[in-house]
Amino acid sequence: MRAVRVEQFGDPGGMVLTEVVVPTPGPDQMLIATEAIGVGGVDAVIRRGTIGGLGFEPGLVPGSEVAGTVTAVGAGVDASWVGRRVWAFTMLGGYADHALARAEHVSPLPENITPVDAVTIGSSGPVAHFALAHAHFAPGESVLVRGAAGSIGIAAVEIAARGGASGVAVTTSSAERGERLRALGATHVLDRSGHGPQDAPAGYDVIVDIVGGPETPDFVDRLAPNGRFVVVGAVAGMPPEDVSARLIRAFRQSRSFATFSLDTIPVPARAVVRAEQFAALGRGDLHAVVHDVLPLEKAAEAHRQMDDGTVFGRIVLVP
Ligand SMILES: NC(=O)c1ccc[n+]([C@@H]2O[C@H](COP(=O)([O-])OP(=O)(O)OC[C@H]3O[C@@H](n4cnc5c(N)ncnc54)[C@H](OP(=O)(O)O)[C@@H]3O)[C@@H](O)[C@H]2O)c1
């Protein structure tokens, strides 16, 4: 089968399409013939080699999310899975004709959901849902999604809007992206520094931050009294270490600052929310925003688009 390996960390050109042996599922694993492969921000981070210290070695096959059909199962897995359409979290190994996943990370794919749509919200939808829950978001509250043009941000905007937010502000880099986000439920469009229309809320009850980086403390200052700030991603780098100073300085505002990782959510709970979101997608209550669909052999081009910052939503590879 074909697989895209990162032979050299750094530039997308270090990714090479190679012929490899189809893997055999081990205990508690399933083998999936891929029909769609999500290209996530984390794939780009791994490929750049900036987190090489975490043990990633050249030759790895990236790709944490696929949809397709189960072709084989390992010991301990119900054989009736074979032939079923599924979505799966693979951790690594997704950029290939076949990918392995642990059975607990495989969800059935409803008939009316395409594999491309499934890998667009299969991970990012639950991240957005549980990040808002972690912030104790409640109907009637105002929300700011910082870095809203990616798949997590888009899902957060839609979920907050449909969840009864009094307003959903977004940061984004262009008016055109702002209009697209408005169509998904955003009410106020701010630039990357948080500047926007005069009628934008002065303070937010909830800030979901996918950006991080040096400007993070300035956004902590945008919390309303009792506001909750949740760091979900860090596409602009790690926030500085002095964030708590801003909280202390505004002591009488009772603000909170937290991080959120999906890793802390039990896998069955993620699956329940994913199933609900696939159903919402089928009803048109949630949208999978696909930036582009490219053949597997164009993985490097997909990563170039990610590096150029031109992606709105998600890029999907198809074998
Ligand atoms: N917490 C979890 O459990 C979890 C799970 C999966 C992934 N993640 C994290 O989530 C992040 C990826 O999420 P994603 O795929 O939705 O994001 P993304 O598409 O990579 O980026 C989101 C948006 O942020 C804006 N942006 C990019 N660089 C920026 C900068 N330097 N300053 C300000 N804005 C910038 C861009 O929009 P504009 O150009 O419109 O501003 C971009 O579209 C990664 O950090 C990943 O590690 C977290």
Side-chain angles (χ1 to χ4, degrees):
M1 70 167 190
R2 300 166 313 150
V4 175
R5 292 157 66 139
V6 179
E7 297 291 4
Q8 204 172 348
F9 291 113
D11 185 81
M15 293 195 296
V16 179
L17 187 72
T18 49
E19 276 297 322
V20 299
V21 174
V22 177
T24 303
D28 300 322
Q29 287 185 326
M30 298 192 202
L31 182 68
I32 298 154
T34 59
E35 291 167 40
I37 302 150
V39 177
V42 70
D43 304 347
V45 171
I46 292 170
R47 185 220 78 228
R48 288 178 200 129
T50 43
I51 51 173
L54 292 182
F56 297 111
E57 299 285 345
L60 71 80
V61 176
S64 65
E65 182 173 7
V66 304
T69 302
V70 177
T71 56
V73 297
V77 181
D78 186 343
S80 68
W81 277 97
V82 175
R84 289 182 72 180
R85 296 170 79 241
V86 295
W87 171 95
F89 171 74
T90 50
M91 182 85 80
L92 287 172
Y95 290 16
D97 290 320
H98 287 82
L100 290 173
R102 292 188 61 77
E104 63 173 352
H105 289 302
V106 177
S107 294
L109 190 58
E111 273 307 312
N112 60 344
I113 305 298
T114 67
V116 168
D117 284 356
V119 298
T120 301
I121 70 151
S123 274
S124 54
V127 171
H129 169 95
F130 286 110
L132 284 163
H134 195 65
H136 302 287
F137 163 67
E141 291 193 317
S142 57
V143 176
L144 169 62
V145 181
R146 184 172 175 229
S151 55
I152 295 175
I154 287 169
V157 167
E158 282 212 283
I159 294 166
R162 291 187 180 275
S166 59
V168 183
V170 293
T171 71
T172 189
S173 57
S174 76
E176 186 259 337
R177 287 181 166 211
E179 283 314 304
R180 295 185 70 180
L181 288 163
R182 275 186 194 280
L184 293 159
T187 53
H188 298 87
V189 177
L190 315 180
D191 66 18
R192 281 185 171 190
S193 294
H195 302 302
Q198 300 248 318
D199 64 341
Y204 298 92
D205 298 308
V206 169
I207 298 180
V208 174
D209 187 4
I210 296 135
V211 176
E215 288 188 79
T216 305
D218 297 336
F219 281 89
V220 172
D221 286 341
R222 307 287 293 269
L223 286 171
N226 296 304
R228 291 87 63 198
F229 191 107
V230 176
V231 179
V232 177
V235 295
M238 298 299 278
E241 290 181 0
D242 65 349
V243 171
S244 61
R246 298 295 181 101
L247 293 173
I248 298 291
R249 214 182 288 165
F251 193 86
R252 297 176 67 202
Q253 302 280 318
S254 305
R255 294 167 171 162
S256 304
F257 183 84
T259 57
F260 170 73
S261 170
L262 195 65
D263 289 350
T264 57
I265 303 298
V267 173
R270 298 179 215 171
V272 167
V273 166
R274 185 173 302 111
E276 288 169 359
Q277 292 183 338
F278 282 161
L281 190 59
R283 293 192 304 271
D285 288 341
L286 204 57
H287 296 90
V289 178
V290 180
H291 178 78
D292 205 355
V293 179
L294 295 172
L296 179 62
E297 55 270 28
K298 294 260 176 82
E301 186 187 323
H303 276 234
R304 273 192 199 96
Q305 291 189 37
M306 301 269 293
D307 287 3
D308 291 346
T310 54
V311 179
F312 183 89
R314 206 135 220 246
I315 296 196
V316 176
L317 298 173
V318 291

